Amino acid sequence: MQDKIYLQSRSRLQDYEPIVGRSSLEELRVLAEKLSGKIIQTINSTFVGGGVVEILEHMVPLLNQLGVDARWDVISGNEEFFEVTKKFHNALHGKRERISPEDFALFSEVTERNLEEIKFYGDYFFIHDPQPVALIAKKREIGKRWVWRCHIDVSKPDKKVWRFLHDFIVDYDAVVFSSPNFAQQLPIRQFLITPSIDPLSDKNKELDSGTIDSVLKKYGLTSDKPMIVQISRFDRLKDPLGVIEAFEMVSKNIDCQLVLAGGTADDDPESEEVLEEVRRRAEGNHDIHVLLVPPESDIDINALQRAATIVIQKSLKEGFGLTISEALWKAKPVVASAVGGIPLQIKNKLTGLLCYTVEGAAYALKQLLSNPEYANWLGQNGREHVKQNFLITSHLKDYLLVFLSLDQHSDVVYL
Ligand code: UDP
């Protein structure tokens, strides 16, 4: 197990005041004070890549600034373990996966090793996603409060995997899902909390045009024609091939370019294979740019989102899809699939356009490319929607309330 000790947020709490107002910050301070002297130990499976990391690396330092002793650890696992947990991930999203008894045995074996190696020092344990879910076994020995935070769309999970995980989940004190659609029949408390973006992070802060231009140049891009951008790990559930297909339909009539930019995540062993598939599919079309973006290239991602004429997120499944809030915060028109947590962010024809098929995506892209005024209006609405609902400060408040509520013994929890 590693320990993320270099975490340092460059944003100070007071810097958020012009965006969210003084009273929001005051509320946070009042709630945080009630947790003084307690340790929140967060555990997930990687420090690099994906939405969970994106949130934790800003949330943990902000909690620390609020005087809450929040710390972050990751479990360790070999490639085979992450292959199994990626199958769990896909299966929970409803995809068919072959999961053998040996796979379940390997999962339990690696969990045992982590149970021995990890130092469990928290008063509250905040466990993210399926990879570390079975660490709950430690509760029998040390007690304390345990929360499982599920970032996956589990509205139609594969039954076999859900049953396996269910036995661990029920030992938690509470579970957090991202959307009301994901709520489950469980004998423990469930909280529905959407993820968030940090408006002051390198990923989302304002950039000057010189910075944007230099990032475009670095990746060999020019803004001489409208740019459609999808930012995602190279994962089949993000449907990069579907994006290319939609783009090809659009570019028959409208001269434009497509950027598919993404990286890999330590806990996602499939990404290199998917990247190769995408590269092969895009070969020969000079208007399609497939970019492998190194980890921690937040300014680059920010610049690509800001350079976009339209941001697309054509996921087949999506827990939430932070990339959408990131794009909306930049007032970009967004075309995104109506799956998982996406409709919480995209209210069709109000904060963006939802699509259901490749053809639908192509139609929406054409509509926005040919009507910049409408596209701009959607983007502005989208920014306001994110401001009201998906900024890190309200997310922090929700989590603080979850932890505080665990020490109350009433069945009714008002958030
Ligand atoms: N991201 C990134 N570099 C990449 C691809 C994605 O920094 O090459 C970021 C992206 O900007 C977002 C997060 O990783 O902040 C992905 O979160 P999302 O919820 O969209 O998808 P997930 O990867 O968790 O399925």
Side-chain angles (χ1 to χ4, degrees):
M1 186 200 54
Q2 306 139 34
D3 192 6
K4 190 148 186 164
I5 45 174
Y6 59 86
L7 266 176
Q8 267 185 15
S9 174
R10 271 158 283 169
S11 317
R12 293 163 312 154
L13 207 52
Q14 58 268 34
D15 298 339
Y16 294 82
E17 195 177 308
I19 302 172
V20 299
R22 182 180 292 196
S23 61
S24 301
L25 300 184
E26 275 315 306
E27 274 178 347
L28 288 179
R29 291 197 180 94
V30 169
L31 293 171
E33 193 154 318
K34 294 182 195 296
L35 284 169
S36 116
K38 305 279 191 194
I39 300 175
I40 298 176
Q41 186 174 357
T42 292
I43 305 179
N44 75 320
S45 59
T46 175
F47 287 136
V48 183
V52 179
V53 171
E54 179 68 26
I55 293 168
L56 292 178
E57 65 189 1
H58 298 105
M59 187 166 275
V60 173
L62 282 175
L63 281 167
N64 294 156
Q65 282 189 53
L66 282 163
V68 176
D69 189 353
R71 307 183 202 177
W72 181 7
D73 296 291
V74 299
I75 56 166
S76 43
N78 52 16
E79 208 178 317
E80 289 77 30
F81 173 75
F82 288 122
E83 273 163 18
V84 171
T85 57
K86 185 68 200 286
K87 285 200 250 179
F88 283 10
H89 175 95
N90 290 339
L92 289 171
H93 270 302
K95 190 171 170 241
R96 272 183 173 276
E97 286 284 354
R98 279 165 176 258
I99 302 172
S100 65
E102 290 75 32
D103 289 338
F104 288 112
L106 176 70
F107 179 84
S108 304
E109 210 178 287
V110 172
T111 299
E112 284 304 320
R113 218 174 304 140
N114 278 298
L115 280 165
E116 277 165 29
E117 285 173 8
I118 293 175
K119 284 198 193 84
F120 293 87
Y121 50 78
D123 296 290
Y124 299 94
F125 290 92
F126 195 25
I127 310 295
H128 293 258
D129 278 344
Q131 301 93 332
V133 67
L135 296 180
I136 188 68
K138 196 74 183 175
K139 189 181 176 196
R140 254 168 264 144
E141 192 187 312
I142 62 171
K144 314 285 180 174
R145 303 283 183 211
W146 292 70
V147 178
W148 186 55
R149 201 322 174 194
C150 178
H151 296 268
I152 297 172
D153 171 355
V154 285
S155 51
K156 291 192 192 75
D158 172 281
K159 289 207 171 61
K160 191 161 131 190
V161 175
W162 182 253
R163 266 200 304 272
F164 177 73
L165 297 181
H166 180 270
D167 291 346
F168 303 112
I169 296 167
V170 293
D171 285 338
Y172 280 81
D173 295 287
V175 54
V176 182
F177 294 112
S178 296
S179 164
N181 306 342
F182 308 163
Q184 297 288 327
Q185 292 268 347
L186 289 170
I188 56 171
R189 286 178 185 176
Q190 295 181 54
F191 295 90
L192 305 172
I193 297 176
T194 52
S196 64
I197 61 159
D198 182 341
L200 300 180
S201 66
D202 283 349
K203 177 76 59 69
N204 296 308
K205 68 185 186 188
E206 295 291 332
L207 294 181
D208 57 47
S209 56
T211 309
I212 298 172
D213 289 345
S214 69
V215 171
L216 291 185
K217 198 163 163 211
K218 175 167 136 190
Y219 288 102
L221 300 169
T222 51
S223 44
D224 56 349
K225 33 179 129 169
M227 192 185 278
I228 300 164
V229 174
Q230 175 161 298
I231 306 283
S232 278
R233 288 178 296 106
F234 287 97
D235 180 330
R236 292 190 183 91
L237 292 181
K238 309 286 183 184
D239 199 18
L241 300 183
V243 175
I244 293 179
E245 222 180 302
F247 170 75
E248 286 173 343
M249 289 177 187
V250 175
S251 59
K252 272 187 202 145
N253 309 107
I254 302 175
D255 192 20
C256 55
Q257 55 181 329
L258 173 67
V259 174
L260 286 168
T264 53
D266 280 359
D267 59 350
D268 181 359
E270 283 178 327
S271 45
E272 279 173 27
E273 197 182 309
V274 177
L275 173 62
E276 263 326 292
E277 272 170 32
V278 174
R279 281 192 169 139
R280 270 199 305 276
R281 178 66 179 74
E283 222 162 50
N285 187 335
H286 299 299
D287 286 324
I288 304 180
H289 309 276
V290 181
L291 311 179
L292 180 60
V293 180
E296 321 216 344
S297 305
D298 288 357
I299 297 279
D300 293 6
I301 300 287
N302 186 343
L304 291 171
Q305 288 168 330
R306 286 182 190 278
T309 314
I310 301 173
V311 169
I312 182 165
Q313 190 63 53
K314 215 208 135 303
S315 305
L316 302 173
K317 295 280 175 181
E318 194 63 78
F320 182 70
L322 281 178
T323 47
I324 294 163
S325 277
E326 288 164 6
L328 294 178
W329 180 247
K330 295 164 185 111
K332 291 294 161 182
V334 174
V335 172
S337 311
V339 295
I342 290 178
L344 298 171
Q345 302 171 80
I346 301 293
K347 304 291 172 198
N348 195 33
K349 301 187 184 171
L350 202 60
T351 64
L353 296 180
L354 287 175
C355 62
Y356 297 81
T357 57
V358 167
E359 291 75 12
Y363 181 81
L365 289 170
K366 279 188 206 167
Q367 202 183 353
L368 295 180
L369 286 172
S370 42
N371 193 344
E373 222 168 279
Y374 179 48
N376 181 41
W377 179 79
L378 291 173
Q380 294 298 336
N381 289 350
R383 180 175 162 97
E384 195 52 36
H385 185 50
V386 171
K387 185 174 173 185
Q388 297 301 330
N389 298 287
F390 307 122
L391 294 187
I392 195 163
T393 39
S394 49
H395 198 185
L396 270 171
K397 178 179 157 190
D398 289 345
Y399 279 159
L400 290 171
L401 285 167
V402 167
F403 292 119
L404 289 169
S405 77
L406 297 181
D407 294 319
Q408 291 175 1
H409 297 288
S410 154
D411 280 341
V412 184
V413 181
Y414 297 99
L415 280 191

